[in-house]
Amino acid sequence: MNSDSLRRLLFLTILVPGLVAAQLSLVPIPRTVGPGKQARSSELAPMALPFWDDFSFTSRKGEVNDTLWDSGRRVLVNDGLAIDPPSVKVATFDGLDSIGKPYSITDVLAKGFADRLISRKIKLSQVPEAERSSVYISFYYQIRGRGELPDEGDNLSLWFRNSDGAWIKVYETSVGSNPVTNRFNYVILPVGDPAFFHDNFQFRFQN
């Protein structure tokens, strides 16, 4: 495992156009979930670094690559909702569930966790202690895209799973902390904490 692969833990493009369907000018076509699509028949074994995805390799239904992601049917992979993205496709956290419906039908302004994207387990324990300071996670995100601006207080957060199985929030961004432009914002964070270097490390994006 070379140092270049350690520094390239993740490349993502994240689009955050809103949290509920009523906020969007443009919404994805409702998706259908066929038999056996609710859950994977067998759990993926933990993988080694590097972990990398630009969402180029996805199903025709707009689902994430299920060899890299443990859970991600709530997000929509597409090539039309971003403005000048750095990759061909993006993962859209649009506030719609896995079949394209709002999480709350009765209250379009409801607040709470919506879309989640959870990685496959990663064997960070394999990284030699002397090289752990060179392990980073990086990603791009766009606040608006081809939708309406999210409400004040809407946010996108990143969480790491520690050796005790607990999810720890390591990053959060919101409308109020970002100037509204069509550019993609780049984030790079060190994994750092020794508690994250175990056999079943995962990271999770959610809005």
Side-chain angles (χ1 to χ4, degrees), residues 22-201:
Q23 291 180 299
L24 300 177
S25 299
L26 180 66
V27 298
I29 297 172
R31 289 160 274 169
T32 58
V33 179
K37 289 294 185 179
Q38 294 294 341
R40 191 181 284 111
S41 58
S42 60
E43 185 176 349
L44 290 170
M47 65 178 287
L49 289 179
F51 182 104
W52 185 88
D53 191 8
D54 64 358
F55 302 111
S56 297
F57 300 97
T58 57
S59 72
R60 293 181 180 178
K61 296 181 180 180
E63 298 172 350
V64 296
N65 185 335
D66 64 4
T67 65
L68 293 175
W69 301 99
D70 183 63
S71 176
R73 298 193 187 284
R74 297 178 180 183
V75 303
L76 177 67
V77 177
N78 65 89
D79 59 3
L81 288 175
I83 298 174
D84 296 327
S87 57
V88 175
K89 295 182 181 180
V90 298
T92 302
F93 290 69
D94 56 9
L96 303 177
D97 66 16
S98 61
I99 58 174
K101 294 183 179 181
Y103 288 96
S104 176
I105 298 176
T106 58
D107 182 4
V108 296
L109 297 178
K111 293 290 183 180
F113 292 131
D115 299 328
R116 292 184 179 183
L117 183 61
I118 304 174
S119 76
R120 178 177 173 176
K121 292 177 180 178
I122 304 170
K123 286 188 175 183
L124 288 191
S125 60
Q126 294 182 342
V127 181
E129 289 190 20
E131 298 180 14
R132 291 180 179 180
S133 62
S134 67
V135 180
Y136 287 78
I137 182 168
S138 63
F139 59 95
Y140 288 87
Y141 71 89
Q142 187 177 69
I143 287 289
R144 182 174 183 175
R146 302 187 189 279
E148 293 183 12
L149 184 67
D151 291 334
E152 193 72 27
D154 291 349
N155 63 66
L156 175 73
S157 57
L158 171 62
W159 303 66
F160 289 168
R161 192 173 188 177
N162 67 18
S163 55
D164 294 326
W167 288 100
I168 308 299
K169 183 164 65 175
V170 297
Y171 180 81
E172 181 177 276
T173 186
S174 62
V175 175
S177 63
N178 284 271
V180 180
T181 68
N182 288 333
R183 70 180 178 86
F184 269 80
N185 300 281
Y186 177 67
V187 177
I188 182 168
L189 301 168
V191 174
D193 194 322
F196 298 136
F197 288 86
H198 58 95
D199 283 346
N200 296 307
F201 172 79

